[in-house]
Amino acid sequence: MSGPEIGLASGFAAVSVDAWKKAVATALKGKPFEVLESKSADGIVIKPLYARAPGAVVSGRPGAAPWTVTTRVDHPSPAAATALALEDLAGGASGLALVFKGAPTAYGSGLVAPTLADLDRALADVMLDVISLKVEAGAAQPAAVAMLLALAEKRGLDPATLDLSAGLDPLGTLAATGKFAASWAETAPRFAATAATFARRGLKGPVALADARPWAGAGATEVEELAAALATGVAYLKALGDADADLAEAAGRIAFALSYDADQFMGVAKTRALRRLWARVRETLGLSTAVPVALHGETSWRMTTSLDPWVNM
């Protein structure tokens, strides 16, 4: 069902900032205007009202496309996992995040699918080529992605038709676990070689993931989370460039993941800041800044509770 677009403010007269401030001064009854301001954990002053920011808008999603609503497939049982995935897809989800046991983001749970047959059972009746797919498997990420591609091929699908984020993120795994199989100097070429292998197999979506969720889960502030995401993204871009990958193509194949808590306005600001920061990286390298950033947002794990199921989701 469709109809004419209705603006939320169309039924109200325009109000100037000066008129708003006058009304606020009356409500404050002599208190200074600064009592309405607050500070973030980074010491950034948050004002009660902002005007539209000047300057060009940083590109967001391609063609203002709708968000992909992603649901986690993290039940240990493949049979239960497929039932839950199909229920969520029927309820409006448009993407699946396959979270395998052992992944840092599994949080003690996770899909147990060590074989292609297990994964096939976990994704039974799921049309892989009509939804968005993410893989989260920690240190086992390359093997998990390869198994998903093998499943697609088994079903007669061309990997190039999949909307798949491979999510290679060795630095994120290091941040979450404190463990590295080898030094970054040794790991970087392997990371780039794996990314190239997936590209040769036809994978069109993001290959690497600069995931700031481990940092946020450990208590990072918004600025620290953005710094971790940007540093990780630059490290992956350098690794791909050192392997002779085209920088423009490589920059477009790095996705990001951020954590979002109940402060939705800071969350929006953080999203916009990441877009501007990555656009600045691209600009510094002489690349186009009009390319949208592939960004995955997830509800902050550290703001959830296992004792109170009635929180405001």
Side-chain angles (χ1 to χ4, degrees):
M1 185 175 181
S2 62
E5 184 175 326
I6 301 175
L8 292 176
S10 59
F12 301 90
V15 178
S16 68
V17 174
D18 288 339
W20 176 81
K21 287 184 175 180
K22 184 177 180 180
V24 168
T26 301
L28 289 177
K29 298 179 180 178
K31 294 180 181 178
F33 181 79
E34 286 71 25
V35 300
L36 299 179
E37 297 177 346
S38 60
K39 285 187 177 181
S40 73
D42 295 293
I44 299 172
V45 175
I46 303 172
K47 299 179 181 180
L49 182 69
Y50 287 88
R52 182 184 293 273
V57 175
V58 176
S59 184
R61 300 181 301 283
W67 289 100
T68 298
V69 179
T70 303
T71 185
R72 291 165 61 93
V73 179
D74 59 357
H75 195 288
S77 164
T82 188
L84 293 170
L86 291 172
E87 180 181 355
D88 286 341
L89 290 171
S94 52
L96 297 178
L98 309 180
V99 185
F100 289 82
K101 186 175 181 62
T105 50
Y107 307 120
S109 185
L111 175 65
V112 179
T115 68
L116 183 60
D118 292 325
L119 185 60
D120 195 7
R121 192 177 305 114
L123 295 174
D125 299 321
V126 174
M127 301 175 68
L128 302 179
D129 56 339
V130 298
I131 62 172
S132 174
L133 293 164
K134 291 176 75 274
V135 176
E136 300 184 21
Q141 189 76 13
V145 174
M147 188 163 59
L148 179 59
L149 292 176
L151 176 60
E153 291 169 346
K154 176 184 175 183
R155 295 184 182 182
L157 299 174
D158 182 350
T161 65
L162 300 182
D163 179 6
L164 170 60
S165 179
L168 297 176
D169 186 26
L171 293 176
T173 300
L174 170 64
T177 64
K179 299 175 183 177
F180 227 6
S183 68
W184 176 240
E186 298 173 281
T187 303
R190 299 175 189 171
F191 156 81
T194 304
T197 298
F198 288 147
R200 285 195 297 270
R201 290 190 66 175
L203 187 60
K204 300 296 185 185
V207 175
L209 177 68
D211 192 350
R213 290 174 296 173
W215 302 88
T221 65
E222 288 86 4
V223 169
E224 291 167 344
E225 186 182 354
L226 288 170
L230 195 66
T232 303
V234 169
Y236 291 159
L237 185 55
K238 184 178 186 304
L240 295 172
D242 288 345
D244 295 326
D246 177 80
L247 276 186
E249 180 181 354
R253 306 201 75 180
I254 299 173
F256 292 83
L258 297 177
S259 183
Y260 294 84
D261 59 21
D263 191 338
Q264 60 180 317
F265 296 110
M266 283 298 286
V268 171
K270 184 166 62 176
T271 299
R272 292 176 174 175
L274 176 66
R275 289 175 178 162
R276 286 189 175 276
L277 288 167
W278 192 240
R280 180 70 180 113
V281 170
R282 296 182 64 97
E283 181 183 34
T284 301
L285 295 173
L287 306 177
S288 170
T289 60
V291 179
V293 175
L295 173 62
H296 175 71
E298 184 176 87
T299 302
S300 170
W301 187 255
R302 78 183 192 197
M303 68 166 277
T304 61
T305 172
S306 60
L307 301 179
D308 179 9
W310 298 282
V311 295
N312 185 342
M313 298 303 292

